[in-house]
Amino acid sequence: MNSGLGSEVKYRLLLVEDDAVIAGEMKLHLEKWGYEVRCVVDFGNVLGEFAAYAPQLVLMDIGLPFYNGYYWCAQIRQVSQVPVIFVSSAGDNMNIVMAVNMGGDDFVVKPFEPEVLSAKVQAMLRRAYAFRGQTNVMECGGLILDLSDASLLAEGKKLELTKNEFRILQLLFENAGKTVSREAIMKRLWDNDCFVDDNTLTVNMTRLRKKLEAVGAGQMIHTKKGLGYIIGERK
């Protein structure tokens, strides 16, 4: 059995459901249809798990620990237009309207037949990816780098980046947890037809750190003396 959207395609679904029994049943059923399904583990960092997994569709409960599903849908909408289907027992008109207003694409009321869920997922994926590409974000330590518009989302705030700042961050994100030499960074910038010498790189790095400091993430980029830079968890 497959998703009916092409056997070569295995769509990734992110399941945001805090009831372990329900989440397990949904995951098992959807995997039988050929989908790759991941269940959120850290309900205080749903956006981070979303960015790290880069799913093609999100199934979102409303009642969740820490923040509700409306909040997380709004957060996802700041970085992606990936389809979000709300799955909740709160299926009154007010909640359905709220779900749509917060960026939801569809609503499935609990309890539901598993076949109804898979049919909704299949229809949504077919509609969405006939004209929409995959998610285009990177995540590190709670920071979300949006590759589509060269911006950074931190603490719910969107930071506009210069071309150089974006390219520096992109290279650091690609090598998260590893030291990136100054030479490698300058080569990345040079390859993009922008002359950068050692002093220019220092200036760019200083400006970038100041932007991160403004949202409490100034310690994300660490200097490795004589080696280069590394991006990691906040200290």
Side-chain angles (χ1 to χ4, degrees):
M1 186 180 293
N2 59 55
S3 66
L5 297 174
S7 57
E8 75 283 356
V9 176
K10 191 162 187 176
Y11 285 91
R12 294 184 304 278
L13 313 183
L14 183 67
L15 182 52
V16 191
E17 167 62 69
D18 63 321
D19 186 311
V21 174
I22 294 176
E25 291 175 351
M26 291 172 67
K27 183 175 188 292
L28 186 62
H29 174 74
L30 291 166
E31 285 176 341
K32 287 179 180 178
W33 278 85
Y35 300 112
E36 182 181 323
V37 184
R38 178 179 294 184
C39 298
V40 163
V41 175
D42 183 358
F43 290 95
N45 186 34
V46 173
L47 188 61
E49 293 202 24
F50 168 85
Y53 186 48
Q56 280 85 36
L57 183 142
V58 177
L59 292 163
M60 179 80 71
D61 192 11
I62 294 176
L64 298 167
F66 303 108
Y67 303 98
N68 64 30
Y70 300 137
Y71 171 85
W72 289 119
C73 184
Q75 290 291 300
I76 288 171
R77 280 291 167 263
Q78 291 192 51
V79 298
S80 173
Q81 291 303 309
V82 67
V84 176
I85 299 178
F86 278 91
V87 183
S88 175
S89 57
D92 56 274
N93 288 339
M94 185 180 74
N95 278 290
I96 293 174
V97 169
M98 178 71 77
V100 173
N101 287 341
M102 297 306 288
D105 297 279
D106 205 343
F107 201 107
V108 177
V109 181
K110 297 177 184 175
F112 53 83
E113 292 296 326
E115 291 74 16
V116 171
L117 179 65
S118 51
K120 288 260 191 182
V121 167
Q122 184 171 327
M124 182 60 65
L125 288 170
R126 183 178 288 113
R127 288 201 302 271
Y129 294 99
F131 60 88
R132 191 184 297 162
Q134 299 185 7
T135 57
N136 206 21
V137 294
M138 301 175 74
E139 188 272 348
C140 180
L143 299 178
I144 311 292
L145 185 65
D146 190 335
L147 306 183
S148 63
D149 66 359
S151 67
L152 186 74
L153 187 70
E155 302 295 334
K157 298 177 181 176
K158 195 164 189 175
L159 304 178
E160 299 301 327
L161 303 170
T162 65
K163 287 182 179 180
N164 281 355
E165 291 167 350
F166 169 71
R167 288 164 182 160
I168 291 169
L169 268 184
Q170 185 179 18
L171 183 58
L172 292 175
F173 270 58
E174 289 169 357
N175 295 276
K178 301 176 184 177
T179 301
V180 181
S181 69
R182 292 177 65 89
E183 291 75 15
I185 297 174
M186 287 190 285
K187 184 175 185 301
R188 169 66 66 94
L189 301 180
W190 177 256
D191 285 347
N192 285 279
D193 300 322
C194 175
F195 176 72
V196 176
D197 59 17
D198 197 67
N199 184 60
T200 304
L201 176 58
T202 300
V203 171
N204 276 273
M205 193 62 73
T206 300
R207 288 175 178 167
L208 179 56
R209 278 177 162 152
K210 284 184 178 178
K211 285 189 177 181
L212 294 178
E213 283 173 7
V215 291
Q219 298 303 311
M220 282 291 291
I221 300 176
H222 314 292
T223 301
K224 295 291 184 179
K225 198 164 185 180
L227 297 174
Y229 302 95
I230 184 171
I231 192 166
E233 298 298 322
R234 305 179 200 200
K235 288 186 176 179

